[in-house]
Amino acid sequence: MAVQGWHQTPLPSVATKLLTKSLLLPGVGKTSLVVRYIGKMFSKHISPTIGASFFTCNINLDDARIKLQVWDTAGQERFRSMAPMYYRNANAALLVYDITSANSFASIKGWVKELQNNVPEPMILSLVGNKSDLEDNRAVTQSEAVQYAASIGAAYCETSALHDQGIDQVFLNTATELLNLSSSSLVASLRSYDSTDYDEKLPIGIPSEEKATHTGKIELPAWTGDVKHGELQRSMCC
Amino acid sequence: MASTSKDHVAENEEALNEKVATDLEPGACLESILNPTDSFEEFASEISTSLEDRKTSLTIKSSTISEIQNEIGDSSKESSLRETKSSDNLQAKNESMSASASNSNLLEENEEESDEKDDYLQSPELVNKEKHVFILSSAGKPIYSRYGNEDKLAGLCGVIQALVSVVEEPNQDILRSINTKDCKAVFLVKGPLILVTVSKSNESETQLVLQLTYAFNQIVSVLTLTQLNRIFEQRRNYDLRRLLSGAERLIDHLFIFMEKDPAFLLGAVRCLPLPEKARENITQAITSTCNKIRDLVFAIMIAGNQLITLVRMKKYTLHPSDIHLLFNLVRSSESFKTAESWTPICLPKFDATGFLHGHVSYISEDCQACLLLLTVQRDAFFPLSQAKHTIAEKLRRSNCLVAINDALNRNKELPTTNPLKHIGIPEIRHFMYKCKSTAQLFTSDPISLDRLQDYRLRHKEGGDITVKKIEKLSDIDYVRNYRQFCNQIHCISTPAKLIFRSNSHDTVLAWVTNGFELYVTFDPLMEKDHAIRAVDRLLHWIKKEEQRIFIMNAPTF
């Protein structure tokens, strides 16, 4: 699965928008993770994601506000060919696997390859081992995961959506990295988002999540949208 | 104890027809959002097709989706470029299929333990169920079983496959059903799949075939027919469960719905009763927001398996069975409640060959109406997301959310909440009405959301046959009782127009005309002429309330 998010940092003076996405496999707990983080709750009855769900959240870091737009993608094989739609133009990916399933860990590697081959710009990767509450059934050792994470330049975290452990850290790390990435100004896609803050429809000053979900326009450039979107982007750049 | 008196009633029908001397039958309007249907048309086509026809019927006709894409493309060259891209569906991912060999080993291992398997067929998971459903590939590989674990049913699936092919191959014949004393086994071979139900319910063979067809359509809705056919062309032995994982529950829920919702029985759609003005405002909010979005094909708002409004692209209408699949999708997917979703959906009757892309979201936390925006453009999430928020805002401002909630919570002040009280004929216990030309239905006691939930929970626990003592009949029980009448009315060889049956439990009148179907349950000992007068008043009431209980126009973008 892929979770994808955009981060936006309307600092008093600098405003940047970032895009994150994460990739996940079925049943590893991607949706639980996101719902735990954004909705502050855990449900045992989450049904499999169909297609992809879209979440937004704001993170305050020092004096920057980072807006994450997260695609929580379905893990099932039949949705796999949709994945490029979600990781295209993403700035970060959370690669979530289930520590009790060696299989889910193995398939992360395929996803990393796919990302490396298809995403030209630097992307922040985080390897997330979920279900750390099921220590007894662990099938992927921590050292194995740490080692792999290092080899792909990713941060590594273990989380439990059930007990709400480590999740804040994952999102916070990602946000921090995104901020660094945007200030290094190496990434064209991040920079192109600066201008979107001038879009009147974007309620910069208002941190509420609800408002944030309205700002669909921001991401439009990411979708190489139609004529309308192109114009919008140009006008913002000027 | 049942005294069927069809003959006597024949002359009464004329009397009935005279009395309902209205121009249009209640609920009818000039243009419909839905394809008018006869719920049994599917069966007619199933039954008429010989083996040869059956194969050709599944070959693919021209694609509506690409037609729409072309149309949009004509007027804007730039977007047509992208649209060619957008038609590459999920199917693009064929390589991954070939990696599937590992799973198939599972089944082979199981076959060695045949003793254990025989025992499994006797296990409590499987015995004493009212209705079993098995879906397998034409190669005999298990795909779905309603109860139990299909991995352990490989042996049974082999037997089913053998039965089907033994009849098929030497004689070019088709195995349709096997009847035993208390049990029917109905077979449907469709494309690369074999669908079988083994039922002890009172549903007719026709109705069971329809249910299997729905199950097939549900699978098509997840994969598209193109992909389904291609998979099995490439690998006859493919384990389809790989691609359906997560979708089994859609089939589970579909069967529960079909067993209790009259919408399936009648091939019609139930609308959420709303004041005319409120529905108009909702439709207006959608059209005014979406009329600039060129590639939007349908905007559908639903709540609790009821249609609130449907706005469509000119020229295109939806088939009720496609709407039923959308209802099922929304009701079965808790995940839609947590966030906006973007999901590929194939509507088999609309276009079985490709996906529409759906923006699916609930209007707001305080209103459980779900909005589906279906487009041919796979990149359209963000414009649609914005449109959704605009629509939700408009609805809130025009107080439509309150109206929807009132209807959903069955506010006591609404005449449609307890129609029998308003009609004021105490002998009527229950009725069910379908307007044929618009494919919409209304019943006197719509199943409320909560009760549906209860039913589901109970069902999940068992599905066992139980003799329970019923204190108060619910909508579900009445509808169950109508099945046999429905079957007689739609019987292909000798269809009945009017049935009046009285027994010690109740009196049932079933009546079909060119314009409508009506099923009414009265107290026992109801006399015919009295019943006819009551039906007359009932029809007048429906006519009077038609603007509220039906969607009487067919808005387009």
Side-chain angles (χ1 to χ4, degrees):
Chain A
M1 295 231 267
V3 180
Q4 169 187 28
W6 288 259
H7 300 230
Q8 168 206 16
T9 49
L11 286 166
S13 54
V14 191
T16 313
K17 194 163 180 199
L18 307 178
L19 193 71
T20 327
K21 73 175 61 183
S22 50
L23 303 176
L24 316 159
L25 299 159
V28 302
K30 295 173 294 295
T31 302
S32 296
L33 204 72
V34 179
V35 169
R36 170 61 100 182
Y37 183 69
I38 291 168
K40 303 290 173 223
M41 56 170 210
F42 181 83
S43 165
K44 280 191 174 158
H45 302 292
I46 285 182
S47 64
T49 306
I50 300 181
S53 305
F54 181 71
F55 297 84
T56 57
C57 61
N58 293 316
I59 296 177
N60 292 325
L61 267 184
D62 303 327
D63 51 351
R65 184 196 316 285
I66 301 181
K67 181 177 167 203
L68 286 178
Q69 297 182 302
V70 181
W71 278 109
D72 171 22
T73 59
Q76 279 79 24
E77 182 173 321
R78 66 175 184 277
F79 296 113
R80 188 168 171 137
S81 62
M82 315 285 286
M85 209 158 103
Y86 303 111
Y87 63 62
R88 215 191 318 152
N89 289 312
N91 302 113
L94 307 180
L95 301 147
V96 184
Y97 70 94
D98 172 357
I99 63 157
T100 68
S101 155
N103 211 3
S104 73
F105 182 68
S107 51
I108 290 278
K109 298 176 183 174
W111 280 111
V112 170
K113 275 213 187 75
E114 183 167 341
L115 287 180
Q116 287 167 343
N117 292 338
N118 293 300
V119 183
E121 297 191 331
M123 185 186 248
I124 292 155
L125 298 179
S126 309
L127 186 62
V128 180
N130 193 29
K131 307 195 186 175
S132 63
D133 45 287
L134 299 175
E135 185 61 42
D136 292 350
N137 301 325
R138 178 185 282 276
V140 182
T141 65
Q142 223 156 4
S143 63
E144 197 181 347
V146 168
Q147 204 177 355
Y148 178 67
S151 76
I152 57 167
Y156 176 71
C157 272
E158 289 202 352
T159 59
S160 162
L162 180 65
H163 296 146
D164 196 9
Q165 281 165 358
I167 299 173
D168 290 357
Q169 203 53 43
V170 171
F171 282 89
L172 213 57
N173 282 347
T174 308
T176 315
E177 298 258 346
L178 283 169
L179 199 58
N180 296 339
L181 193 64
S182 72
S183 54
S184 73
S185 68
L186 285 171
V187 184
S189 71
L190 289 185
R191 295 195 48 82
S192 76
Y193 290 112
D194 291 1
S195 51
T196 57
D197 288 309
Y198 300 113
D199 183 348
E200 288 173 2
K201 301 218 165 153
L202 180 64
I204 303 171
I206 306 164
S208 96
E209 266 171 36
E210 263 178 46
K211 295 276 177 163
T213 52
H214 282 261
T215 57
K217 286 220 164 163
I218 296 169
E219 329 42 56
L220 288 178
W223 294 73
T224 59
D226 55 27
V227 196
K228 266 181 296 178
H229 308 159
E231 280 165 6
L232 174 68
Q233 197 179 2
R234 273 196 300 279
S235 68
M236 292 187 302
C237 294
C238 295
Chain B
M1 66 180 179
S3 71
T4 312
S5 45
K6 263 185 255 174
D7 307 1
H8 298 266
V9 181
E11 72 261 22
N12 288 335
E13 198 197 342
E14 283 173 26
L16 264 176
N17 280 332
E18 277 167 30
K19 286 196 173 165
V20 192
T22 38
D23 293 331
L24 285 172
E25 63 277 1
C29 64
L30 295 173
E31 207 183 354
S32 168
I33 40 171
L34 301 172
N35 300 348
T37 55
D38 187 318
S39 48
F40 287 66
E41 67 182 6
E42 296 249 8
F43 182 72
S45 70
E46 281 314 323
I47 206 115
S48 67
T49 47
S50 70
L51 211 54
E52 295 292 301
D53 295 343
R54 194 189 269 180
K55 279 176 188 141
T56 51
S57 75
L58 280 171
T59 52
I60 287 144
K61 287 163 238 142
S62 70
S63 153
T64 317
I65 290 174
S66 43
E67 186 185 314
I68 296 173
Q69 286 174 336
N70 288 339
E71 244 168 60
I72 299 166
D74 284 344
S75 47
S76 77
K77 279 179 201 154
E78 197 168 321
S79 60
S80 73
L81 272 178
R82 259 173 303 101
E83 274 144 20
T84 48
K85 257 190 258 161
S86 72
S87 57
D88 59 332
N89 294 321
L90 299 190
Q91 312 142 9
K93 231 16 189 204
N94 282 327
E95 329 83 84
S96 59
M97 277 165 40
S98 47
S100 67
S102 55
N103 266 26
S104 53
N105 296 339
L106 275 178
L107 304 175
E108 280 142 33
E109 282 163 25
N110 277 337
E111 268 164 34
E112 286 161 22
E113 313 153 17
S114 63
D115 287 349
E116 209 176 285
K117 212 169 43 202
D118 285 343
D119 288 341
Y120 185 65
L121 290 180
Q122 299 303 323
S123 77
E125 280 175 30
L126 294 175
V127 293
N128 201 34
K129 300 293 181 195
E130 191 181 49
K131 189 194 288 164
H132 278 285
V133 181
F134 306 104
I135 302 176
L136 47 143
S137 71
S138 50
K141 234 178 199 160
I143 294 169
Y144 168 86
S145 167
R146 188 174 183 186
Y147 303 106
N149 174 351
E150 61 280 347
D151 262 338
K152 297 188 190 164
L153 293 171
L156 180 69
C157 288
V159 172
I160 293 172
Q161 196 260 346
L163 281 173
V164 169
S165 61
V166 150
V167 175
E168 209 167 87
E169 266 151 32
N171 318 320
Q172 288 294 298
D173 212 338
I174 299 169
L175 176 61
R176 294 196 190 285
S177 66
I178 299 172
N179 286 290
T180 66
K181 189 168 145 244
D182 61 343
C183 178
K184 293 185 199 80
V186 175
F187 297 76
L188 177 66
V189 181
K190 228 168 150 56
L193 304 184
I194 300 173
L195 302 98
V196 185
T197 177
V198 180
S199 165
K200 296 182 181 173
S201 73
N202 70 347
E203 287 148 310
S204 68
E205 188 185 327
T206 326
Q207 285 156 354
L208 293 170
V209 169
L210 271 172
Q211 296 185 357
L212 293 177
T213 311
Y214 262 107
F216 179 79
N217 286 341
Q218 178 69 69
I219 292 176
V220 169
S221 168
V222 168
L223 299 176
T224 73
L225 189 57
T226 317
Q227 195 182 12
L228 182 67
N229 284 336
R230 194 166 57 203
I231 287 164
F232 285 103
E233 270 160 31
Q234 288 172 346
R235 282 197 49 194
R236 204 168 159 263
N237 237 353
Y238 187 73
D239 184 353
L240 197 63
R241 286 177 302 165
R242 281 172 62 84
L243 281 180
L244 287 180
S245 73
E248 308 87 353
R249 108 205 108 84
L250 292 178
I251 308 176
D252 290 342
H253 287 171
L254 184 66
F255 274 94
I256 297 173
F257 279 145
M258 287 192 289
E259 282 161 11
K260 48 128 269 295
D261 195 330
F264 290 93
L265 191 62
L266 294 178
V269 170
R270 192 201 295 263
C271 303
L272 184 73
L274 281 178
E276 194 185 350
K277 190 75 197 148
R279 202 185 308 272
E280 219 168 74
N281 287 340
I282 296 169
T283 308
Q284 178 63 29
I286 294 176
T287 45
S288 64
T289 311
C290 297
N291 60 5
K292 295 250 165 55
I293 306 178
R294 301 178 43 80
D295 31 39
L296 192 58
V297 188
F298 295 110
I300 306 166
M301 198 188 288
I302 63 181
N305 277 0
Q306 300 169 86
L307 188 61
I308 293 174
T309 188
L310 190 165
V311 187
R312 67 210 168 88
M313 193 181 255
K314 254 183 216 108
K315 288 204 308 199
Y316 301 101
T317 53
L318 266 186
H319 191 284
S321 92
D322 283 341
I323 298 208
H324 293 154
L325 292 180
L326 291 176
F327 282 166
N328 188 45
L329 176 72
V330 171
R331 288 290 289 157
S332 321
S333 310
E334 286 295 308
S335 60
F336 290 147
K337 290 191 177 158
T338 48
E340 293 173 55
S341 292
W342 183 239
T343 179
I345 301 170
C346 170
L347 297 175
K349 296 278 185 180
F350 176 71
D351 184 349
T353 67
F355 284 112
L356 290 172
H357 298 273
H359 178 280
V360 186
S361 60
Y362 283 81
I363 288 297
S364 79
E365 273 178 18
D366 57 350
C367 179
Q368 290 299 299
C370 180
L371 180 69
L372 297 105
L373 301 170
L374 303 178
T375 172
V376 291
Q377 172 67 276
R378 75 186 299 182
D379 287 359
F381 177 86
F382 290 105
L384 293 183
S385 170
Q386 199 156 37
K388 183 252 160 157
H389 288 286
T390 312
I391 292 169
E393 198 44 48
K394 284 183 184 171
L395 294 186
R396 189 175 295 284
R397 263 185 278 134
S398 59
N399 268 340
C400 292
L401 298 188
V402 178
I404 293 173
N405 281 334
D406 273 355
L408 274 178
N409 300 330
R410 310 189 68 202
N411 187 321
K412 293 237 160 34
E413 284 164 24
L414 298 173
T416 44
T417 296
N418 195 347
L420 291 180
K421 225 183 219 164
H422 275 82
I423 298 163
I425 309 170
E427 295 88 354
I428 297 183
R429 292 179 175 179
H430 185 270
F431 72 87
M432 165 167 106
Y433 174 91
K434 173 193 174 186
C435 173
K436 281 183 170 179
S437 62
T438 56
Q440 296 176 25
L441 94 145
F442 182 73
T443 71
S444 59
D445 183 22
I447 308 149
S448 74
L449 284 181
D450 305 338
R451 273 162 59 204
L452 199 67
Q453 209 64 39
D454 288 351
Y455 180 84
R456 251 209 235 158
L457 287 180
R458 256 189 289 146
H459 203 95
K460 225 174 184 176
E461 281 162 19
D464 291 358
I465 301 168
T466 47
V467 187
K468 54 170 181 179
K469 205 157 179 223
I470 299 161
E471 278 141 28
K472 185 175 180 295
L473 291 177
S474 71
D475 202 50
I476 296 165
D477 303 305
Y478 286 111
V479 170
R480 186 165 288 168
N481 196 22
Y482 292 143
R483 281 176 188 161
Q484 46 178 309
F485 296 99
C486 196
N487 192 44
Q488 274 177 281
I489 275 180
H490 291 277
C491 171
I492 288 165
S493 50
T494 51
K497 289 224 151 147
L498 184 63
I499 303 169
F500 184 85
R501 191 224 58 188
S502 201
N503 67 20
S504 59
H505 298 296
D506 54 26
T507 299
V508 174
L509 182 135
W511 182 27
V512 58
T513 70
N514 290 332
F516 63 82
E517 281 177 44
L518 177 67
Y519 302 81
V520 191
T521 307
F522 299 98
D523 291 340
L525 305 177
M526 184 80 173
E527 281 170 26
K528 261 172 284 165
D529 44 349
H530 195 170
I532 284 165
R533 276 198 301 276
V535 163
D536 186 37
R537 273 171 67 190
L538 174 59
L539 288 171
H540 277 107
W541 181 86
I542 297 175
K543 182 78 188 166
K544 190 174 101 223
E545 296 291 338
E546 64 181 359
Q547 295 286 356
R548 187 187 283 269
I549 58 188
F550 297 116
I551 298 176
M552 300 289 290
N553 54 10
T556 58
F557 291 119

